[in-house]
Amino acid sequence: QQIRVGAKYIMDNIWEEPKFAPYAMVGGYQILYNETQAGVSLDGTTFIAPYFGAGVYLQLGWFDPSAAVDAYTESGIENTFVFLEIRKYIASTDETDPDFSTSLDLSAGLSIEF
């Protein structure tokens, strides 16, 4: 299990109604791990380690403005975005912790703003 706390700065005030919004993030994470194999068990919790990343939100409302207005009036949805981001997890500084660091991870998804 991963526990993660961080901050994200979204640059969505560049334009009045941005079609895309770049962002940067930084924070700390901790891993709770448990591995069992043929009667041998290893479990524990890592010390907090840093992570960072960047990405971009692409607003979907401008593709169909009337549907965006309907979504706002009927459901309170401010905006809907598709995002693409990269994130890197740094290894814990405790030598006894397993290495959960990563190379640059690429991810994409959908984000809804209420």
Side-chain angles (χ1 to χ4, degrees):
Q1 281 183 318
Q2 182 186 82
I3 300 170
R4 185 176 66 217
V5 175
K8 185 186 293 186
Y9 176 67
I10 305 169
M11 294 164 260
D12 61 350
N13 289 327
I14 298 172
W15 302 277
E16 185 175 323
E17 190 63 33
K19 293 183 179 174
F20 68 94
Y23 62 89
M25 65 183 125
V26 65
Y29 76 98
Q30 188 173 38
I31 301 288
L32 288 76
Y33 58 93
N34 184 340
E35 184 175 351
T36 303
Q37 194 176 54
V40 177
S41 181
L42 176 65
D43 65 341
T45 303
T46 65
F47 283 126
I48 297 173
Y51 75 89
F52 63 90
V56 64
Y57 285 120
L58 173 63
Q59 184 189 62
L60 299 178
W62 64 277
F63 286 117
D64 189 355
S66 63
V69 170
D70 290 343
Y72 178 72
T73 56
E74 293 175 14
S75 304
I77 296 173
E78 295 276 342
N79 274 314
T80 304
F81 301 93
V82 172
F83 68 88
L84 182 65
E85 73 179 29
I86 56 172
R87 187 178 299 170
K88 177 161 179 59
Y89 293 94
I90 309 297
S92 167
T93 56
D94 185 356
E95 294 176 5
T96 62
D97 283 345
D99 185 359
F100 289 103
S101 66
T102 64
S103 58
L104 289 175
D105 289 337
L106 180 64
S107 61
L110 183 69
S111 179
I112 299 173
E113 180 182 62
F114 287 95

